[in-house]
Amino acid sequence: MIGSPPSFMQDYALTVDRFLDHGAKWHGSSGVVTAGAQADRRINYFDLRERANRLSGALLSCGVEPGDRIATLAWNTQHHVEAWYAAMGVGLVCHTLNPRLTVAQLAAMVDQADDRVLAVGAGLRHIAEALLEACPSLERLILLDDDAAKNGRPEIFSLESLLAEQGHAVSWGGFEETALAGLCFTSGTTGAPKGVAYTHRSNYLHTLRALQADSIALTAKDAVLVAVPMFHANAWGLPFAAPAVGADLVLPGRSTDGATLAGLIERQGVTVAVGVPTVWLGLLDHLDATGGETPSLERIIIGGSSCPDSLLQRMERRFGATVQTSWGMTELSPLGAISPRSDVQGAARGSGRPPMGLDLLLTDADGRPLPDQRNAVGHLKVKGQSVVQSYFGASQPAVDADGWFDTGDLAQLDNDGNLTLAGRSKDLIKSGGEWINPVEIEEIVGALPAVSLVAVIGRADSKWGERPLMVIEPARGQDIDDAQLKASLKGRVADWWIPERVVRVEAMPLAATGKINKAVLRAAHGGA
């Protein structure tokens, strides 16, 4: 009788609890730092693992079961990290919610996810209690940073009382690596938010991708500042990557202003800092105003939106650090491409190359691959080990017949495979039957010292259908007139691309990810 073939290698499920297990066993003195008003709070990975594991036991005592969704509504703190691992370690699904959305928006996500428990951070209890009333599936709240009285409500617990009364050690893992680990809804700034469900396997493989030498590449000597909100796209995977190699995870709470980040970098000897361009603009302005320095910084990793080369060079000069640009999406877990850490400072660059595990394809508008994948603009599609296959609750796949996911971006690859985004296909402006690409205008104007942020949107026009409208946020203490702005474009783009109108705003509207929210700009300025 022919039996089953022998297993030549051990069965080792790729589940994310193994990252904290590894950090606790082999890098127990490294850990998580959370910024505090009086003093920073530090916990090593050994103790963090013990607390998170006991919280797993407490959650199971509350009656939830593997596969159930546990929502978090919190900032970047130690307790939020504990909630992540407590849920994922026993097969629960961690659903991160964006505190900057409305109660109605959050309730729609909670209802779709059928969340049973909500863990809530400091200053957000009022939102959480409103969700408890609005969402029938929610059974209890866990106050992560608040030991205040329950006000007679038995369904509201503080984290510490829950750990004291019901916390107990349990076994982590023991489920399939294809089980769901996390759930994150897209921002919804261009349409209804869609849920992206991450598996343990996809998160594990994404972590290995991020740790490649020419990628995020953390090591045990690093202290990594996560200025990316943990409710957005796995916070770029850093809560997994840091304990996996024994790097310190430095968290700013809810404050990412320049003063807070400068102090945190100095006190904790931060070597790698990760965030969107607007965060680093705030830090630059603070350092310029105070004369401060960041001598420990070795690298800054930028994502979220394109960054003018003038800002990149200003950052490298002021911080004395290498700046790595990157591109990603919630649907990619999220890292898609990143410039190598070995790039020469000040060199022009796009978003880098995809690390091993992700492939890119450029197509025409009808989905046909471009015959030459280099030096031509096309519609960007991706395929890989941690790319969405279908959205949460959707009946149709999110990929085409060949497994490619359409990012909605226009992009170009140079001869070395470096990716440069050329704008969102939906952001193209059709004027008189011809297309205008806002990104090309934004890159030129964004390089002007007097401009802090710039966005170009289509404005309804009775004659041409649409005309470009330029919206700028002037740099602090700077002034620039319309004629100067338009002159910067003369000879660099077609004359008919140059916007006739310029709108100045005191503060550019930003999505939670730090990207400019063009949906808000269109609503305010896009009408005829």
Side-chain angles (χ1 to χ4, degrees):
M1 185 174 73
I2 299 176
S4 300
S7 177
F8 294 107
M9 301 299 289
Q10 295 182 17
D11 184 17
Y12 182 93
L14 306 183
T15 56
V16 300
D17 51 285
R18 296 186 184 275
F19 297 135
L20 190 51
D21 282 347
H22 180 86
K25 184 173 183 179
W26 301 109
H27 302 281
S29 60
S30 300
V32 174
V33 176
T34 305
Q38 305 301 323
D40 300 335
R41 175 176 180 173
R42 181 180 183 90
I43 185 170
N44 63 47
Y45 284 130
F46 182 88
D47 291 337
L48 181 78
R49 197 266 179 206
E50 188 271 339
R51 281 176 56 89
N53 184 257
R54 288 197 299 117
L55 182 56
S56 294
L59 289 172
L60 295 177
S61 294
C62 292
V64 294
E65 299 176 350
D68 285 344
R69 267 74 69 193
I70 306 295
T72 65
L73 184 76
W75 310 106
N76 290 19
T77 66
Q78 167 197 324
H79 294 157
H80 198 178
V81 175
E82 290 171 352
W84 274 34
Y85 278 100
M88 298 182 201
V90 288
L92 300 167
V93 182
C94 183
H95 174 200
T96 52
L97 293 169
N98 180 349
R100 295 171 180 142
L101 298 179
T102 67
V103 170
Q105 290 170 318
L106 293 171
M109 296 174 186
V110 170
D111 287 342
Q112 185 176 341
D114 201 29
D115 296 324
R116 293 187 61 187
V117 176
L118 174 59
V120 57
L124 300 171
R125 179 171 176 171
H126 63 293
I127 300 176
E129 291 197 19
L131 289 173
L132 189 62
E133 299 298 329
C135 303
S137 66
L138 282 180
E139 299 167 8
R140 52 183 51 83
L141 302 183
I142 300 173
L143 307 177
L144 295 178
D145 307 296
D146 183 4
D147 290 324
K150 301 176 187 177
N151 296 329
R153 301 189 64 169
E155 70 273 34
I156 301 178
F157 301 82
S158 74
L159 172 63
E160 299 306 329
S161 65
L162 186 64
L163 281 173
E165 296 166 13
Q166 300 187 52
H168 61 277
V170 294
S171 295
W172 274 355
F175 42 82
E176 295 294 325
E177 64 183 32
T178 53
L180 291 188
L183 177 63
C184 180
F185 280 77
T186 59
S187 63
T189 57
T190 58
K194 293 174 283 192
V196 179
Y198 306 111
T199 66
H200 281 264
R201 180 179 186 276
S202 70
N203 278 338
Y204 196 104
L205 294 175
H206 178 273
T207 302
L208 299 184
R209 189 162 89 226
L211 290 174
Q212 291 175 37
D214 271 338
S215 187
I216 293 178
L218 299 182
T219 71
K221 74 176 182 65
D222 284 317
V224 55
L225 170 63
V226 184
V228 186
M230 286 177 61
F231 52 77
H232 174 60
N234 287 330
W236 298 5
L238 295 163
F240 302 136
V245 297
D248 279 344
L249 190 67
V250 182
L251 305 175
R254 69 177 298 171
S255 300
T256 56
D257 60 278
T260 296
L261 296 185
L264 200 52
I265 290 169
E266 180 183 6
R267 293 192 302 273
Q268 300 303 328
V270 168
T271 58
V272 180
V274 183
V276 298
T278 48
V279 166
W280 307 126
L281 266 173
L283 180 57
L284 282 169
D285 289 343
H286 172 78
L287 294 178
D288 286 347
T290 62
E293 301 291 342
T294 54
S296 65
L297 264 185
E298 298 173 6
R299 289 188 291 143
I300 294 176
I301 302 174
I302 289 182
S305 59
S306 61
C307 188
D309 198 61
S310 59
L311 175 57
L312 297 178
Q313 294 185 38
R314 180 188 173 199
M315 290 171 62
E316 287 174 332
R317 287 193 304 268
R318 189 66 179 83
F319 297 137
T322 298
V323 177
Q324 289 177 264
T325 51
S326 68
W327 162 78
M329 300 179 70
T330 304
E331 289 89 342
L332 311 188
S333 299
L335 182 61
I338 186 168
S339 61
R341 60 184 297 175
S342 57
D343 266 11
V344 177
Q345 287 194 6
R349 76 220 96 179
S351 297
R353 292 187 293 268
M356 175 63 193
L358 193 81
D359 199 10
L360 308 180
L361 178 71
L362 297 179
T363 75
D364 62 20
D366 296 319
R368 293 184 294 264
L370 298 184
D372 189 348
Q373 291 287 303
R374 296 293 191 265
N375 302 308
V377 174
H379 294 254
L380 180 61
K381 295 186 177 182
V382 295
K383 180 191 290 188
Q385 59 192 204
S386 50
V387 177
V388 67
Q389 174 77 16
S390 59
Y391 289 105
F392 184 77
S395 57
Q396 298 296 321
V399 297
D400 65 20
D402 295 318
W404 292 99
F405 172 74
D406 189 346
T407 66
D409 285 310
L410 299 172
Q412 180 173 312
L413 299 167
D414 69 13
N415 288 330
D416 295 321
N418 292 301
L419 175 73
T420 298
L421 296 184
R424 297 286 288 171
S425 57
K426 64 177 176 11
D427 286 341
L428 293 177
I429 299 167
K430 198 167 190 178
S431 184
E434 300 290 342
W435 292 107
I436 296 173
N437 189 347
V439 169
E440 294 187 38
I441 300 173
E442 292 164 354
E443 287 180 347
I444 294 169
V445 174
L448 299 174
V451 175
S452 177
L453 294 171
V454 57
V456 176
I457 61 170
R459 182 175 183 273
D461 186 272
S462 58
K463 180 177 180 180
W464 301 108
E466 282 187 309
R467 287 297 297 151
L469 171 75
M470 186 189 304
V471 183
I472 69 162
E473 176 188 324
R476 182 184 301 177
Q478 297 288 321
D479 189 22
I480 185 169
D481 62 32
D482 291 5
Q484 291 172 296
L485 290 167
K486 295 175 184 179
S488 71
L489 297 169
K490 193 73 174 177
R492 302 181 69 182
V493 301
D495 285 350
W496 60 274
W497 278 33
I498 298 176
E500 290 88 9
R501 292 190 55 190
V502 178
V503 171
R504 287 164 177 76
V505 295
E506 196 169 303
M508 195 72 76
L510 302 176
T513 59
K515 298 178 184 179
I516 294 174
N517 193 329
K518 287 193 173 181
V520 172
L521 292 178
R522 290 190 191 99
H525 307 290

